Amino acid sequence: MEKIEILQDYIDHAEKIVFFGGAGVSTESGVPDFRSQDGLYHQTYKYPPETILSHSFYMSKKKDFYDFYFDKLLTKGILPNKAHKKLYELEAAGKDITIVTQNIDGLHQAAGSKRVFELHGSVHRNYCENCHKFFDGEYMIRHRDDGVPKCDACGGDIKPDVVLYGEGLDQKTLTGAVAAIAGADLLIVGGTSLAVYPAAGLVDYFNGEHLVVMNRDATERDLHADLVIRDPIGESLDKIRVKVGE
């Protein structure tokens, strides 16, 4: 059987599916990833991206943090691609499917997916560090020329609700993601090198029937996978037939 046919069979017969995704899911939408040859970590900035995206850097150099944030992470005009849309189509057709994502772009929700655990937060949620009022991404974009966006209620600095290096994952989100993975009979890992912990360690909770890895480059989980697909994720998932009412 062709690999897509095998994946189709896995999806057709699975009762509970978890799609665990990383940056490679959104690259087909024009969102840069981090570790590929053309990724953010291989580009030249005043400070290394790994440093910029740390809690300590945010606290000490907020203006430099926001220069990078607005340039590379909070951008307009990014739309869901075929991968996001197909996952929603499966959910809408009646499949029990949960998304666990390391991405902060909100594209799964933009495509329509309802059950999404965002391990690293979202650029579409931002909060005042002083009074904790929340602001959406549009508010942030409108105030990008202010340097550090300020709260319109108290004037406090606004921080993106994203997990920076040196910060812990939200426990409620983590607990929900673990439960979903542990209860799934099909786990599809897509667009992630599985190099960032603790998120990558969540795969260890899977004890279901089939593990599928969809990633351009090799991962440490490939040897344990029932199916490995190297082709672009959106291109591959777009070939999956959705059966209504399952």
Side-chain angles (χ1 to χ4, degrees):
M1 294 176 68
E2 295 290 332
K3 289 187 175 183
I4 295 301
E5 293 177 354
I6 296 173
L7 178 60
Q8 179 79 59
D9 183 66
Y10 288 171
I11 291 174
D12 288 347
H13 290 92
E15 294 186 3
K16 291 183 179 294
I17 303 171
V18 169
F19 181 87
F20 180 93
V25 178
S26 295
T27 53
E28 291 171 68
S29 292
V31 179
D33 66 3
F34 288 83
R35 290 174 172 77
S36 71
Q37 184 175 354
D38 300 319
L40 294 180
Y41 287 176
H42 292 275
Q43 298 178 25
T44 302
Y45 298 96
K46 182 179 179 182
Y47 303 95
E50 304 98 310
T51 300
I52 298 173
L53 295 175
S54 67
H55 177 76
S56 59
F57 187 91
Y58 169 79
M59 295 301 295
S60 62
K61 299 181 184 297
K62 289 183 180 179
K63 175 61 168 62
D64 290 314
F65 171 88
Y66 269 111
D67 287 344
F68 180 87
Y69 181 75
F70 283 122
D71 186 42
K72 294 298 181 181
L73 299 183
L74 182 57
T75 55
K76 297 185 69 174
I78 301 298
L79 300 173
N81 61 49
K82 292 177 180 178
H84 303 102
K85 293 176 181 178
K86 183 64 67 171
L87 291 169
Y88 168 65
E89 287 175 20
L90 289 167
E91 178 186 311
K95 275 295 181 183
D96 186 335
I97 182 166
T98 300
I99 309 297
V100 177
T101 180
Q102 300 175 77
N103 297 336
I104 59 176
D105 50 45
L107 290 178
H108 286 292
Q109 290 94 329
S113 293
K114 301 296 190 294
R115 198 157 58 241
V116 182
F117 291 101
E118 296 174 304
L119 296 175
H120 296 150
S122 172
V123 297
H124 300 289
R125 297 190 305 270
N126 307 270
Y127 64 92
C128 173
E129 294 183 277
N130 183 46
C131 72
H132 302 290
K133 179 178 179 179
F134 269 80
F135 300 88
D136 60 18
E138 290 299 320
Y139 179 91
M140 301 294 281
I141 290 173
R142 289 198 304 270
H143 292 271
R144 66 175 298 165
D145 294 333
D146 298 347
V148 178
K150 301 291 184 180
C151 174
D152 61 4
C154 73
D157 292 346
I158 299 176
K159 181 184 183 298
D161 190 18
V162 299
V163 179
L164 303 175
Y165 290 110
E167 297 179 336
L169 302 185
D170 176 75
Q171 284 303 306
K172 183 178 180 180
T173 301
L174 185 60
T175 299
V178 167
I181 292 172
D185 48 355
L186 171 60
L187 176 61
I188 304 173
V189 177
T192 173
S193 61
L194 295 173
V196 177
Y197 284 81
L202 299 189
V203 179
D204 292 332
Y205 290 94
F206 179 66
N207 290 301
E209 189 170 356
H210 295 298
L211 171 63
V212 176
V213 175
M214 305 178 72
N215 198 55
R216 184 184 65 183
D217 303 317
T219 78
E220 62 181 35
R221 303 285 179 166
D222 289 5
L223 293 177
H224 305 285
D226 299 288
L227 178 65
V228 177
I229 296 176
R230 295 279 181 243
D231 296 326
I233 298 170
E235 175 184 303
S236 298
L237 288 181
D238 192 49
K239 297 175 182 177
I240 295 297
R241 300 182 303 279
V242 176
K243 300 180 179 180
V244 179
E246 292 190 352

